[in-house]
Amino acid sequence: MINKVTDSVYYIGVNDHDLDLFEGQYIVPNGMAYNSYMIKDEKIAVFDTTDRKKVDEWLGNVAEALDGATPDYLVVSHMEPDHSAAIKAFLEKYPDTTVVSTGKAFKVMEQFFPGFEIPNRIEAEDGGCLELGAHKLNFVHAPMVHWPEVVMTYESSEKILFSADGFGKFGALDVEEDWACEARRYYFGIVGKYGKQVQDILAKAAQLDIEKICPLHGPVLTENLGYYIDLYNTWSSYGTETEGICIFYTSVYGNTEKAALMLADLLREKGVETVEVSDLARCDWAEAVEDAFRYDRAVFATTTYCGGIFPFMKQFIQHLTERNYQNKKVAFIQNGSWAPVATKIMKCMFEKSKNLAFAENEVTIRSAINDETKAQIEALADELSRTGDACAPAKMKCSVCGFVYDPEKEGMAFDEQKDSYKCPICGMAKSVFVEETAAKAAKEAEADADKYVCEVCGFQYDEEAEGKPFDAQPDSYKCPLCGMPKSAFKKG
């Protein structure tokens, strides 16, 4: 598919409607788009390739856009195979092309294409520039958004950001659908763990005059860019996008389901406008993850099972915690005929999550719902339906730089501040602030003070699990997640 983005920038990507699972796990009923672009100037640059199943179709698009010309550069933004599988085929057809990418990307290329030589190469330095003529490519490294080797490119003459997987979404481009829904599911499924790294990139992007965003999945974004950037800011700062309550349940014989549905009905009766209910055994788990991050309150209802919790709930909570689930009020419903321990286990699974406020009211079902259970559900509904309750401390904390907004000092509640309010320290938007108590902040600071964290990918070195202090590791030690050296780790 060939489309003009501008007079000199072409879309040359392909749609894939044969794919049932993206990355082997995400349901894509409307397929996927593998985006690729071309800039035609004194020099011609192609941006990224395609998935292995679409190589021939993509090469046909390249040839059509070239119209007899020869490409000078192939810019590789990201080495994940849905974007890089055609590098070898492209270079075999256009052998004089110079490949432009990061040093880490070239190492990954050697792994994906063993024995294949790439003699013509330019390493794209962070902040480096490559001139095509009237167009200038300015490179912005974006490590862990969402692989370590990622580079974004800002074309300054036409003010276009080639954003790699940033601002991407599920779905082919020949299908009309809401952007935010599939972009949110894509973001939290794939990039959600790396909020800090996305915040870093947003801070860099704020210094650029951007009029178009060209992602590797989903449509080219040309209008109302503030809408998309604000959503990314909210998502990557783990803020609340929509006030509402999501209820996630698993049920063996229907009694836990009955409690979950009873709670949902009561919440709606008490005026909660948005209540989403998900059966974790049957729903699209990625959509459930999306809801958990989108709304400000969540309920987890499950059975005690083999001394633990039901497998679908266990897996779902793991999906959340490995994506840094935080800044929510959460409640629990447990079922157990003789030794109910599900709530205790779920709380333990969330123990490392930041800024979670556990509901005071809990529900315990012993086999089936009785009058006592109904009273507990009623009490929980009362608590969750009250906004600004125990989960809303007076002080607000900037999740980017840590600045604490104190209403007493400022002379007004944080909610009374204008939407244009920005953090006085780092300049980030009002939406990045989260509810925070001084006691919790002190506890977290104390807990994190002695831990070593990789500044690139966020991996936390666990001295107890490793069996030795971090300082005892040799200088050759590397981060097991992103491969960065020992020096990339910082304490606290």
Side-chain angles (χ1 to χ4, degrees):
M1 181 169 70
I2 304 286
N3 287 314
K4 277 195 170 185
V5 178
T6 69
D7 287 341
S8 53
V9 180
Y10 296 77
Y11 175 90
I12 55 173
V14 296
N15 289 319
D16 184 357
H17 284 287
D18 299 322
L19 186 69
D20 61 337
L21 293 176
F22 182 71
E23 289 193 351
Q25 57 179 329
Y26 298 101
I27 299 169
V28 283
N30 291 327
M32 283 298 294
Y34 309 125
N35 295 348
S36 176
Y37 306 91
M38 180 185 294
I39 296 179
K40 299 183 75 172
D41 201 328
E42 294 174 18
K43 300 286 187 179
I44 297 175
V46 174
F47 287 79
D48 300 287
T49 69
T50 191
D51 186 81
R52 61 183 178 82
K53 302 191 300 294
K54 297 293 180 177
V55 173
D56 291 341
E57 181 180 349
W58 175 75
L59 287 174
N61 290 348
V62 172
E64 181 181 344
L66 286 171
D67 193 23
T70 302
D72 297 282
Y73 301 108
L74 172 63
V75 179
V76 178
S77 308
H78 180 25
M79 273 303 299
E80 203 165 6
D82 55 325
H83 309 300
S84 66
I87 290 176
K88 181 179 179 181
F90 176 84
L91 293 177
E92 288 174 343
K93 187 170 183 178
Y94 305 104
D96 295 329
T97 304
T98 297
V99 180
V100 183
S101 197
T102 63
K104 288 186 176 65
F106 283 118
K107 292 180 180 179
V108 179
M109 279 182 220
E110 294 172 2
Q111 296 168 189
F112 276 116
F113 305 105
F116 183 70
E117 297 293 330
I118 304 177
N120 303 319
R121 62 174 69 187
I122 294 175
E123 187 168 323
E125 299 290 344
D126 190 22
C129 180
L130 178 65
E131 296 191 10
L132 305 179
H135 294 79
K136 295 181 179 180
L137 307 183
N138 302 277
F139 300 114
V140 181
H141 285 194
M144 302 316 298
V145 186
H146 59 112
W147 279 20
E149 87 304 354
V150 173
V151 61
M152 297 182 182
T153 303
Y154 175 67
E155 199 294 296
S156 54
S157 70
E158 301 204 66
K159 302 176 182 179
I160 299 174
L161 178 66
F162 295 90
S163 60
D165 270 345
F167 300 97
K169 65 177 284 293
F170 296 124
L173 297 188
D174 55 0
V175 177
E176 290 289 334
E177 62 183 357
D178 177 65
W179 183 88
C181 181
E182 287 298 72
R184 187 188 303 107
R185 189 165 70 97
Y186 175 91
Y187 175 85
F188 284 113
I190 296 172
V191 192
K193 178 177 182 177
Y194 303 108
K196 178 184 182 301
Q197 289 77 11
V198 175
Q199 284 282 304
D200 291 343
I201 286 298
L202 290 177
K204 291 182 180 180
Q207 309 303 313
L208 305 174
D209 184 8
I210 301 171
E211 292 186 355
K212 293 180 176 62
I213 298 176
C214 292
L216 287 177
H217 297 295
V220 174
L221 306 178
T222 59
E223 297 179 356
N224 195 18
L225 296 187
Y227 167 75
Y228 305 106
I229 293 171
D230 285 347
L231 279 178
Y232 252 64
N233 188 32
T234 298
W235 298 343
S236 58
S237 61
Y238 305 100
T240 294
E241 181 185 344
T242 306
E243 286 191 358
I245 300 174
C246 42
I247 301 173
F248 308 104
Y249 75 87
T250 64
S251 190
V252 181
Y253 296 110
N255 292 298
T256 311
E257 178 185 34
K258 184 177 180 181
L261 297 179
M262 183 182 299
L263 175 62
D265 289 340
L266 285 170
L267 290 169
R268 295 185 184 107
E269 290 175 8
K270 294 177 184 296
V272 179
E273 292 186 6
T274 304
V275 181
E276 300 285 349
V277 182
S278 299
D279 177 355
L280 296 178
R282 295 173 175 83
C283 70
D284 176 357
W285 67 265
E287 286 194 2
V289 167
E290 170 193 349
D291 284 345
F293 281 93
R294 179 179 183 177
Y295 299 107
D296 60 330
R297 287 154 287 173
V299 180
F300 300 88
T302 195
T303 51
T304 301
Y305 190 83
C306 292
I309 59 176
F310 201 72
F312 286 112
M313 179 61 76
K314 181 178 181 180
Q315 185 180 49
F316 180 64
I317 293 177
Q318 288 173 338
H319 281 312
L320 297 182
T321 56
E322 69 187 11
R323 289 166 172 80
N324 288 331
Y325 187 64
Q326 56 188 277
N327 303 330
K328 309 294 180 185
K329 181 165 186 173
V330 297
F332 304 97
I333 298 174
Q334 66 176 352
N335 193 341
S337 294
W338 57 90
V341 294
T343 293
K344 178 181 178 181
I345 291 171
M346 288 188 285
K347 283 185 174 181
C348 287
M349 292 184 72
F350 283 120
E351 66 181 358
K352 292 184 179 180
S353 297
K354 295 181 179 180
N355 303 330
L356 291 188
F358 292 160
E360 293 180 5
N361 290 280
E362 298 174 356
V363 177
T364 296
I365 308 164
R366 290 188 178 272
S367 301
I369 293 176
N370 56 25
D371 289 342
E372 182 181 358
T373 310
K374 292 178 181 178
Q376 293 174 359
I377 294 173
E378 179 79 36
L380 179 57
D382 282 339
E383 179 180 354
L384 292 177
S385 63
R386 295 192 301 266
T387 57
D389 213 8
C391 62
K395 294 181 181 181
M396 302 291 289
K397 181 179 178 181
C398 175
S399 60
V400 176
C401 71
F403 168 76
V404 176
Y405 180 95
D406 188 337
E408 291 186 9
K409 293 181 180 179
E410 300 293 338
M412 68 171 67
F414 186 76
D415 289 343
E416 295 175 3
Q417 287 285 0
K418 296 179 180 179
D419 291 341
S420 58
Y421 175 84
K422 294 183 178 180
C423 175
I425 302 299
C426 66
M428 295 304 290
K430 185 179 179 183
S431 59
V432 310
F433 280 75
V434 295
E435 297 168 351
E436 181 66 57
T437 63
K440 180 169 282 190
K443 182 178 179 181
E444 289 174 358
E446 182 180 355
D448 292 341
D450 296 325
K451 294 179 180 178
Y452 288 84
V453 179
C454 175
E455 289 195 312
V456 175
C457 69
F459 171 78
Q460 191 172 88
Y461 181 89
D462 188 331
E463 293 186 337
E464 183 177 348
E466 298 291 339
K468 66 169 66 174
F470 182 79
D471 290 339
Q473 288 286 0
D475 291 341
S476 58
Y477 175 83
K478 293 184 179 180
C479 175
L481 180 59
C482 68
M484 293 301 290
K486 186 179 180 182
S487 59
F489 283 76
K490 298 299 179 183
K491 189 175 182 180

